[in-house]
Amino acid sequence: MKQYNFEDSNLPKVNPNENLETISNNFFRPLFGTDKFEIRSETQRDKGIDFHIELKKEVAPGKWVFTNYRLAVQLKASESVKTNKDGSFTLQIDSSNVNYLLNNAMPAFYVFFHKSTKSFYYEDVRIFLAALHQKEPEWSKKEKHALRFSKKLDELALHAIYEQTLANGILLRQVNQYLKTPSEENISQGILIDHNNAVYNAADNIEYLDQYGAYLINKHQFNYIIEIEQKTHPRQDATPRFNLFCGIAYYQRGNLYKAIDLLKIAELHSESFDSNMQAALAFTLLNGKHLLGIISKQDFDKEMQKLSESGKTGTYFQIEKAYSILCNARSDISNAFKIFCGTVENILENETNNELRIIAYSKVVSAESTVLLNDLTSNFCYFIGRVTNPLQTKTYLEWLEMENRFLNQIDELVDAANKYEYQIGIANLIIFRIKWNYEKAIHTHYLSNWNVRFFDISAVLDEKTQKQLLFDCIQLEKIAESYDAIEFRENMLSCYLLEFQIFHFLRRDEKAQEIKIKILNFTKEYEFAGLQKQYEEIFNGNTAHQQFINKYTVQINQMQDFATKNGIDIYSLLDSDKFNHNPSWSFTHFFEFTFA
């Protein structure tokens, strides 16, 4: 029997490339575990995609579902490709194939099979495209491009591909719900996709800020509000509350022009706001204009006075109005202080917001500090310059007892701010305590160094007070840095301004100049023209201690001149042992704090 000769027969020839394709396919499939992936070959009229791979998702322990989130793979294999010096492999890719893969919304990858090591390498089509754009902006006009494979398709890479495809699928799912249908041609629902692939719808954003904006403002989430505002377009239907909260957020972050634009829009419908929101709108708009130098400090004060007298203000402005009346009282300070405290109690009677209570009580403490310092200087008028040890007198010792009770109140408020997690309140109270240390140092130092007609400004401040104030400056620097980190620019500048005045008082001129330059740079950078003008007055001889010297010198000289004309010897020293001036205090009972 004649043996069959295969060589002479007319049979289909084996193509080595097809063998390699089969081998690569056989090794490729097991890479994708069947628990998380479903591999489907592209068998009919393949135009550049070998596999579509669908993700599976575990929704409960042991329970998996198909997601219809997919990725595309173009598998390459070649025995003729040589290894590059860095261990990578280079293949030529058709521009038409890159475009084909890009036309699919799903993630797409080129995968290369290295037969001798049975290893797979991969590249994301989008990363390849980005490199092409950078090297050749008109890359599509060229027929082929070199793609270098260097990343191994291992377990870590498969996990990253899974997560990327899952995120892409979720993104497309979110986008799809906002896409117009043929019946919605006249409906505008602008969407925005951020760098984290989160999808935002303008209407949802407006509704969210309208409902929760006040809460976010109270929690000082200004950056979050701004982030939402920037992702809300178009917004023809933005509510007044949306514009108000966004305007306040931009104001707190120092973007005053943007803040004023939004606040003016909110102002057009301010009748829909309650009294507290109207007050917040009016104050923020006025202060923004003042900071930018659009209105002067005098005009700002006038407008604030009108606002306080309008009767259409919230809790904050009612307290400010009461405080202003107290500060303007020229006689019977004791009665004015009682009226102020009674007004605060009435205003807060039904107030349930403990942060607002802390703000109001801080104003009470500020009023107490003003009265205490005023009482100290008033009582010292009787013996200034005539007693050898003024800080050992009955007047000063009684005053120290009152100061101790006063400082306990500040500590009480700090504890409350801690309890209610009111961090800004804590910082403000620490600053207030530092301000008190500075103002007390001014009064005690100069009142102890009166020489006939003038304060002895050459007298050296005691070492203990110097150390305290230097420590306070370190604290101010830290608080200012914290304010800068959260972009509370105006608060930060207030810290630096107080620090400047303390260094100036301590005669640390070089350090004071350093702080001054820092302040001026900030006011210039953020275009706080109004603040810059106001601060310039302080820099040019109007610090708190310079104001005290000038004002009190005139006052004491007028009193002494009047006494001399009436035959009283006001220059003779008094016997400290026999001197027994009974001081007069505007109040002896301090305000009692209560919280909801």
Side-chain angles (χ1 to χ4, degrees):
M1 182 177 180
K2 185 177 179 182
Q3 187 175 6
Y4 183 75
N5 189 341
F6 284 92
E7 290 183 5
D8 297 334
S9 63
N10 188 20
L11 293 173
K13 301 295 186 292
V14 173
N15 186 335
N17 287 333
E18 290 178 350
N19 286 345
L20 184 57
E21 182 180 328
T22 301
I23 293 171
S24 63
N25 285 353
N26 290 340
F27 278 105
F28 178 77
R29 285 178 173 274
L31 290 175
F32 293 80
T34 56
D35 58 333
K36 298 173 71 174
F37 300 95
E38 182 74 19
I39 301 182
R40 298 185 177 93
S41 299
E42 186 75 23
T43 57
Q44 293 187 351
R45 298 183 181 180
D46 169 22
K47 300 300 180 184
I49 294 177
D50 293 311
F51 300 98
H52 283 103
I53 304 176
E54 182 180 353
L55 303 190
K56 302 173 185 177
K57 183 81 171 67
E58 189 175 26
V59 294
K63 183 180 179 181
W64 292 76
V65 296
F66 287 95
T67 62
N68 202 26
Y69 299 161
R70 307 179 184 222
L71 64 126
V73 172
Q74 172 72 10
L75 183 60
K76 301 287 185 180
S78 174
E79 290 187 298
S80 60
V81 176
K82 295 182 179 180
T83 307
N84 297 320
K85 290 182 180 180
D86 61 359
S88 63
F89 303 90
T90 302
L91 271 71
Q92 295 295 318
I93 304 295
D94 292 338
S95 292
S96 60
N97 186 246
V98 176
N99 283 319
Y100 185 68
L101 291 176
L102 289 173
N103 280 349
N104 197 322
M106 68 185 73
F109 300 87
Y110 286 111
V111 177
F112 168 68
F113 176 65
H114 185 234
K115 181 182 178 184
S116 61
T117 60
K118 295 182 175 58
S119 299
F120 286 89
Y121 297 81
Y122 78 103
E123 186 57 85
D124 188 324
V125 173
R126 287 177 295 183
I127 293 177
F128 180 40
L129 177 65
L132 289 180
H133 272 303
Q134 188 173 9
K135 189 167 67 173
E136 301 179 69
E138 297 185 356
W139 63 271
S140 193
K141 294 182 179 180
K142 190 175 177 181
E143 184 179 356
K144 292 181 179 290
H145 300 278
L147 171 56
R148 186 179 291 252
F149 289 93
S150 59
K151 295 181 287 190
K152 276 198 171 185
L153 188 62
D154 52 20
E155 285 294 327
L156 190 63
L158 287 169
H159 175 73
I161 288 172
Y162 181 92
E163 292 299 322
Q164 178 184 334
T165 306
L166 182 66
N168 186 80
I170 293 171
L171 169 64
L172 291 177
R173 174 70 177 82
Q174 290 178 301
V175 171
N176 284 339
Q177 67 181 325
Y178 293 119
L179 293 180
K180 295 178 183 178
T181 65
S183 62
E184 296 177 317
E185 291 182 359
N186 296 322
I187 298 176
S188 179
Q189 281 193 40
I191 64 172
L192 184 143
I193 304 171
D194 72 4
H195 63 285
N196 292 317
N197 278 355
V199 179
Y200 295 86
N201 170 255
D204 292 344
N205 287 352
I206 291 169
E207 182 181 355
Y208 176 75
L209 280 189
D210 185 274
Q211 186 172 357
Y212 299 108
Y215 172 82
L216 295 173
I217 291 290
N218 288 335
K219 293 299 180 182
H220 307 105
Q221 298 293 317
F222 306 120
N223 286 342
Y224 182 51
I225 294 173
I226 290 171
E227 182 181 347
I228 293 175
E229 185 274 337
Q230 291 174 344
K231 295 169 180 174
T232 307
H233 297 282
R235 53 168 178 234
Q236 294 91 336
D237 299 325
T239 65
R241 288 164 60 90
F242 173 89
N243 289 312
L244 171 64
F245 298 138
C246 292
I248 292 175
Y250 275 108
Y251 168 83
Q252 291 291 347
R253 287 296 172 262
N255 191 338
L256 299 182
Y257 290 108
K258 178 75 172 179
I260 288 175
D261 286 343
L262 288 164
L263 292 172
K264 281 184 175 179
I265 297 172
E267 192 179 31
L268 296 175
H269 304 282
S270 60
E271 71 281 354
S272 64
F273 299 150
D274 62 28
S275 59
N276 279 316
M277 290 177 65
Q278 288 180 349
L281 169 61
F283 171 77
T284 310
L285 195 51
L286 275 175
N287 206 39
K289 291 178 179 179
H290 169 236
L291 290 174
L292 288 170
I294 297 173
I295 60 174
S296 66
K297 180 66 167 61
Q298 292 75 16
D299 289 337
F300 171 77
D301 291 338
K302 287 179 183 178
E303 291 301 318
M304 289 294 291
Q305 184 66 25
K306 289 180 184 177
L307 186 63
S308 296
E309 294 172 352
S310 67
K312 300 179 180 179
T313 56
T315 303
Y316 175 80
F317 280 99
Q318 292 177 50
I319 293 171
E320 282 291 324
K321 180 180 178 181
Y323 182 74
S324 177
I325 292 171
L326 172 63
C327 291
N328 291 326
R330 292 291 177 263
S331 62
D332 200 358
I333 301 297
S334 178
N335 186 55
F337 183 74
K338 287 179 182 178
I339 294 173
F340 169 73
C341 291
T343 302
V344 172
E345 286 180 331
N346 291 334
I347 293 170
L348 295 179
E349 185 176 4
N350 299 313
E351 182 57 64
T352 58
N353 185 328
N354 284 316
E355 287 189 7
L356 194 54
R357 281 183 172 270
I358 293 171
I359 294 171
Y361 291 151
S362 297
K363 207 66 183 178
V364 171
V365 170
S366 179
E368 289 175 348
S369 72
T370 301
V371 174
L372 282 172
L373 292 171
N374 183 71
D375 280 359
L376 181 65
T377 55
S378 296
N379 282 288
F380 262 59
C381 288
Y382 291 97
F383 56 84
I384 187 169
R386 303 177 68 196
V387 176
T388 307
N389 297 307
L391 301 186
Q392 297 300 320
T393 60
K394 177 182 178 182
T395 297
Y396 188 67
L397 295 178
E398 281 189 14
W399 187 85
L400 284 180
E401 291 179 7
M402 296 179 68
E403 182 205 23
N404 186 54
R405 291 158 63 189
F406 165 73
L407 295 177
N408 286 338
Q409 282 199 305
I410 298 178
D411 293 339
E412 184 181 344
L413 285 182
V414 171
D415 289 341
N418 263 313
K419 178 181 177 181
Y420 299 114
E421 299 181 348
Y422 183 26
Q423 301 302 320
I424 299 299
I426 296 171
N428 289 338
L429 286 164
I430 293 172
I431 295 168
F432 181 79
R433 178 68 176 265
I434 293 171
K435 185 172 181 286
W436 170 263
N437 291 341
Y438 165 54
E439 291 182 337
K440 177 189 174 183
I442 294 171
H443 285 69
T444 56
H445 177 63
Y446 289 125
L447 291 174
S448 301
N449 291 283
W450 178 263
N451 185 10
V452 185
R453 302 285 289 182
F454 303 99
F455 289 111
D456 182 5
I457 59 174
S458 64
V460 178
L461 186 66
D462 69 276
E463 187 175 348
K464 182 180 178 182
T465 303
Q466 287 191 54
K467 287 183 178 179
Q468 178 62 56
L469 292 177
L470 288 173
F471 174 78
D472 287 343
C473 285
I474 294 173
Q475 293 290 95
L476 281 173
E477 191 72 34
K478 291 179 180 178
I479 296 172
E481 289 174 358
S482 298
Y483 279 140
D484 188 25
I486 60 175
E487 300 180 3
F488 274 43
R489 308 301 186 196
E490 196 176 351
N491 298 52
M492 177 200 69
L493 288 171
S494 295
C495 288
Y496 285 138
L497 189 65
L498 180 53
E499 190 179 359
F500 165 81
Q501 293 184 91
I502 293 174
F503 277 123
H504 191 278
F505 175 63
L506 293 172
R507 300 174 192 168
R508 305 288 181 104
D509 295 337
E510 186 175 334
K511 188 64 180 177
Q513 181 65 18
E514 178 186 321
I515 300 297
K516 173 184 173 181
I517 292 172
K518 187 184 294 187
I519 291 172
L520 291 176
N521 286 341
F522 267 105
T523 54
K524 183 179 180 181
E525 180 180 354
Y526 292 99
E527 301 183 73
F528 291 170
L531 268 189
Q532 189 169 14
K533 185 177 180 181
Q534 184 179 329
Y535 289 173
E536 281 287 1
E537 294 179 5
I538 295 174
F539 297 146
N540 295 323
N542 206 29
T543 61
H545 52 278
Q546 289 169 315
Q547 286 186 56
F548 175 82
I549 291 172
N550 296 333
K551 182 179 178 180
Y552 205 65
T553 299
V554 172
Q555 183 179 340
I556 295 297
N557 282 327
Q558 287 176 345
M559 291 177 64
Q560 290 181 344
D561 290 342
F562 178 81
T564 300
K565 287 180 181 178
N566 287 275
I568 301 172
D569 183 4
I570 48 83
Y571 297 111
S572 61
L573 286 176
L574 298 172
D575 188 335
S576 298
D577 295 330
K578 296 180 181 180
F579 175 70
N580 191 28
H581 169 66
N582 289 314
S584 174
W585 308 113
S586 298
F587 65 90
T588 54
H589 293 89
F590 286 82
F591 196 96
E592 293 184 9
F593 304 142
T594 58
F595 294 93

